[in-house]
Amino acid sequence: MSTPNVDLSQNGHIKIADTLFSVGGIEEFDFSRLLDKPRPLNMERQRSYDERSLHELTSGLSPRPPSRTDDFPSRITDHLEYSFSPGRRSGYNTPRSFTGFEPHPMVAEAWDALRRSLVYFRGQPVGTIAALDNSEEELNYDQVFVRDFVPSALAFLMNGEPEIVKTFLLKTLRLQSWEKKIDRFQLGEGVMPASFKVLHDPVKNNETLIADFGESAIGRVAPVDSGFWWIILLRAYTKSTGDTSLAELPECQKGMRLILSLCLSEGFDTFPTLLCADGCCMIDRRMGVYGYPIEIQALFFMALRCALLLLKQDGEGKEVVERIVKRLHALSFHMRSYFWIDLKQLNDIYRYKTEEYSHTAVNKFNVIPDSLPEWIFDFMPSRGGYFIGNVSPARMDFRWFCLGNCIAILSSLATPEQSTAIMDLIESRWEELVGEMPLKVCYPAIEGHEWRIVTGCDPKNTRWSYHNGGSWPVLLWLLTAACIKTGRPQIARRAIELAESRLLKDNWPEYYDGKLGRYIGKQARKSQTWSIAGYLVARMLLEDPSHLGMVALEEDKQTKPLLRRSNSWTF
Ligand code: GLC
């Protein structure tokens, strides 16, 4: 496996602040030691999949709940402790916390629910259904979404059950090689599906997979994030198991190259950021998240970095690797310079001159200060900052987006100072961003005339609902990972406690509504799998921070910008 750029995390040097667990009572623990070794595979669990595959083959539709007897792995538990009532088998799977963060009965319930969401294909678990909510109109929530499966996959990896993740990665790779058409237009070869489902033919007694690349999705937008998540997950699998053979398979190498060739091709671009249509990521409806949205740029950066670690530098790989290195260099400079905002930067924009021409322009994108929204002046704390939602000619979308900012921290797109500043902002704007339920997908909501124009009068995305300032429990895992990476676990702990006060009681809603996230979302599904898995991953990360290496990358000195336009983020 080639590692042309040094990923320090590979060498066990993910830097975690010394005072990591001051709230939990343990200080100055050297977590870097924990990041060294690949996590052991749970061979017991793998065997049980094989054993039951014959039975699964003959018995049909997915998903179906596994039987109680094979529900949980009979893992060697001499160094583990039960985190729940010994009468139940679930919930003992993770080591007791280093943090003094006590186990919670909800963990066992969450594992049960997560296992109920498993989708089987020809006897093997291949993913998890988006929501097990049978009470309402199903839409496409009966499918396995690539992005939704990521937290499930991480939960299984952290629990020593990598097999399902491997199957998922291989099956989705097969789907990628399909010919993809919308009407008469053929999509790029590398496009990964948004979702897929298992079709069972009771007559022939066989199963097939059908995928949606955007041709069935509301709005008909291809998911740009799917391919990135696929690469990120492949790296998480490799990191967690130490099994490099999967990523080294010629088909995996090709799959990665195809995904990347979609975004590294030359065109008319003047920026290194990736041009996108509205609705091509987690926010998959028209919400003004088009052009160069942070949600995609951060994932793009992370996927490039992961690919760099996984790609072989042989014939075809070599050229891709060279392109990645160049792109990373330019992308990190661009993002760190132009997407970053803090009090000083805001003040600079407020005083911008416009209509500047030539290389000496300070206001490069010709942003008109009058376009600064009112809310940002109150929202911006004296300490803290964040990557804004979008930057393009004469347009800055100042909204705060959760996923983009957390992924920026995890991928080290954010400098260490910027990462700290993002956490400072979350802490000082807790009421706005977390409120009573973690975590706002974006802030603030858009309303009135602007809502009409931007969303196209979307009744699902009314203010403080769904994608428009709604609160999504799945984001808890991203927040927790970011907290651990920046040495602020107490923030994650507070958020997890809030989630624990409601999530199970409310039956794992997809999202919450309202300024504070107080109300179960108007059209939120219940038993939403990524709400369940997101909670489990958050818990496991906090209990055993060595898992962080799966989803985090240390800063790569080679991608550091040579010049810094502004040092406003250093305090
Ligand atoms: C909604 C979300 C999307 C998610 C899907 C399945 O469409 O916006 O991000 O993947 O539901 O849960």
Side-chain angles (χ1 to χ4, degrees):
M1 181 126 324
S2 58
T3 49
N5 275 10
V6 189
D7 168 18
L8 293 177
S9 64
Q10 295 286 56
N11 300 330
H13 296 307
I14 282 224
K15 194 191 77 212
I16 301 178
D18 292 338
T19 52
L20 189 51
F21 292 117
S22 53
V23 169
I26 294 182
E27 289 182 36
E28 305 201 0
F29 186 91
D30 179 11
F31 288 98
S32 60
R33 278 187 289 125
L34 296 170
L35 297 169
D36 265 341
K37 292 182 221 99
R39 306 193 64 75
L41 291 183
N42 183 351
M43 302 315 286
E44 290 291 328
R45 179 67 192 166
Q46 288 176 340
R47 210 172 306 136
S48 78
Y49 283 158
D50 296 342
E51 278 158 13
R52 76 178 174 212
S53 58
L54 241 187
H55 166 67
E56 303 285 351
L57 258 172
T58 52
S59 58
L61 277 174
S62 49
R64 40 183 292 277
S67 69
R68 285 297 314 176
T69 46
D70 66 358
D71 208 354
F72 294 100
S74 52
R75 190 174 176 179
I76 303 158
T77 54
D78 37 359
H79 66 290
L80 306 177
E81 288 182 71
Y82 287 82
S83 60
F84 187 48
S85 142
R88 306 202 50 169
R89 300 198 61 213
S90 49
Y92 63 74
N93 325 49
T94 43
R96 186 181 277 271
S97 162
F98 295 109
T99 64
F101 189 42
E102 283 311 306
H104 196 281
M106 235 168 88
V107 170
E109 300 279 351
W111 273 112
D112 279 346
L114 182 61
R115 291 186 197 282
R116 277 197 299 274
S117 77
L118 283 174
V119 172
Y120 292 84
F121 178 60
R122 300 184 184 164
Q124 267 186 313
V126 68
T128 48
I129 194 170
L132 253 183
D133 186 346
N134 303 321
S135 61
E136 294 161 72
E137 186 194 359
E138 263 191 351
L139 293 172
N140 50 356
Y141 285 84
D142 62 343
Q143 311 214 358
V144 179
F145 278 74
V146 171
R147 70 174 75 86
D148 292 44
F149 181 65
V150 172
S152 301
L154 295 174
F156 287 119
L157 287 175
M158 289 175 187
N159 202 38
E161 300 175 65
E163 207 51 30
I164 181 174
V165 181
K166 185 175 179 179
T167 311
F168 170 89
L169 288 166
L170 287 170
K171 292 290 181 245
T172 43
L173 195 59
R174 294 295 296 274
L175 297 175
Q176 184 200 37
S177 63
W178 282 12
E179 185 181 273
K180 294 157 281 218
K181 263 190 171 173
I182 297 191
D183 297 330
R184 296 176 190 180
F185 185 67
Q186 192 159 331
L187 272 68
E189 233 189 312
V191 176
M192 279 281 181
S195 61
F196 64 86
K197 71 195 269 184
V198 180
L199 269 193
H200 179 67
D201 181 339
V203 181
K204 293 188 189 147
N205 195 26
N206 74 6
E207 288 180 340
T208 42
L209 292 180
I210 51 162
D212 176 11
F213 296 89
E215 76 277 23
S216 309
I218 296 167
R220 302 286 183 270
V221 179
V224 175
D225 63 340
S226 284
F228 297 153
W229 280 123
W230 189 89
I231 295 174
I232 293 166
L233 193 54
L234 179 61
R235 189 252 167 194
Y237 169 89
T238 310
K239 175 80 179 166
S240 137
T241 59
D243 169 18
T244 54
S245 66
L246 179 66
E248 280 169 355
L249 288 176
E251 57 264 43
C252 281
Q253 294 283 318
K254 183 175 175 209
M256 272 188 282
R257 285 199 305 270
L258 286 177
I259 295 168
L260 296 171
S261 72
L262 290 172
C263 11
L264 295 175
S265 57
E266 288 178 357
F268 290 99
D269 309 286
T270 47
F271 312 136
T273 34
L274 190 66
L275 188 61
C276 303
D278 218 338
C280 68
C281 59
M282 172 187 178
I283 298 177
D284 56 0
R285 298 163 79 90
R286 185 170 149 189
M287 267 299 297
V289 185
Y290 65 91
Y292 305 95
I294 181 70
E295 300 290 84
I296 288 293
Q297 311 313 321
L299 282 172
F300 179 33
F301 183 85
M302 178 127 183
L304 287 179
R305 289 206 60 198
C306 290
L308 209 48
L309 297 164
L310 300 169
L311 278 172
K312 289 189 190 172
Q313 281 214 62
D314 50 14
E316 290 169 281
K318 193 160 185 288
E319 202 217 315
V320 185
V321 164
E322 281 164 11
R323 290 173 118 174
I324 294 176
V325 172
K326 281 193 194 147
R327 191 64 170 258
L328 278 171
H329 195 66
L331 186 59
S332 61
F333 176 82
H334 184 92
M335 298 299 297
R336 289 171 180 183
S337 309
Y338 306 127
F339 275 65
W340 184 253
I341 197 160
D342 55 16
L343 192 62
K344 178 179 181 310
Q345 183 66 13
L346 176 58
N347 210 153
D348 288 351
I349 298 171
Y350 178 67
R351 291 165 50 80
Y352 263 169
K353 290 189 185 60
T354 58
E355 314 301 329
E356 294 173 298
Y357 180 74
S358 105
H359 292 285
T360 51
V362 177
N363 180 5
K364 296 195 167 97
F365 305 103
N366 200 33
V367 173
I368 318 288
D370 268 358
S371 69
L372 277 161
E374 280 295 314
W375 61 265
I376 200 172
F377 295 101
D378 294 330
F379 181 67
M380 185 60 73
S382 340
R383 237 182 117 81
Y386 64 102
F387 288 101
I388 61 173
N390 219 312
V391 177
S392 59
R395 177 181 178 229
M396 281 186 161
D397 178 349
F398 291 94
R399 281 177 293 174
W400 176 89
F401 287 84
C402 177
L403 185 144
N405 276 280
C406 289
I407 294 283
I409 292 177
L410 295 177
S411 62
S412 292
L413 170 60
T415 63
E417 295 84 1
Q418 287 174 331
S419 298
T420 302
I422 294 170
M423 297 314 296
D424 286 344
L425 176 111
I426 294 176
E427 225 172 2
S428 54
R429 292 293 170 255
W430 188 259
E431 179 133 320
E432 289 86 345
L433 303 179
V434 182
E436 294 186 20
M437 177 54 68
L439 195 61
K440 286 260 174 281
V441 66
C442 64
Y443 179 90
I446 43 183
E447 27 192 324
H449 181 62
E450 197 187 1
W451 167 80
R452 255 177 241 114
I453 304 290
V454 172
T455 71
C457 301
D458 186 346
K460 256 192 122 172
N461 277 334
T462 50
R463 61 179 184 170
W464 306 114
S465 181
Y466 200 39
H467 302 130
N468 188 5
S471 305
W472 292 64
V474 59
L475 298 170
L476 194 57
W477 82 263
L478 282 164
L479 175 71
T480 304
C483 287
I484 294 176
K485 184 148 189 270
T486 50
R488 315 271 280 264
Q490 66 282 6
I491 298 181
R493 191 175 167 152
R494 262 175 87 189
I496 291 176
E497 277 164 8
L498 276 174
E500 282 173 342
S501 69
R502 292 204 55 184
L503 273 189
L504 176 63
K505 211 166 55 188
D506 296 342
N507 193 13
W508 310 103
E510 179 187 12
Y511 62 95
Y512 286 78
D513 284 356
K515 265 193 171 167
L516 294 173
R518 247 190 172 167
Y519 303 94
I520 299 175
K522 212 185 321 176
Q523 294 189 46
R525 307 290 129 172
K526 298 289 185 66
S527 294
Q528 180 81 21
T529 303
W530 69 358
S531 300
I532 299 162
Y535 165 69
L536 281 174
V537 173
R539 265 255 160 205
M540 285 191 277
L541 275 166
L542 206 56
E543 288 175 4
D544 181 358
S546 72
H547 291 307
L548 181 67
M550 266 188 235
V551 288
L553 298 163
E554 239 336 298
E555 186 170 31
D556 181 342
K557 302 290 175 269
Q558 290 190 39
T559 59
K560 257 193 171 170
L562 299 172
L563 292 167
R564 281 192 176 173
R565 186 178 51 97
S566 147
N567 278 329
S568 62
W569 54 79
T570 41
F571 299 109

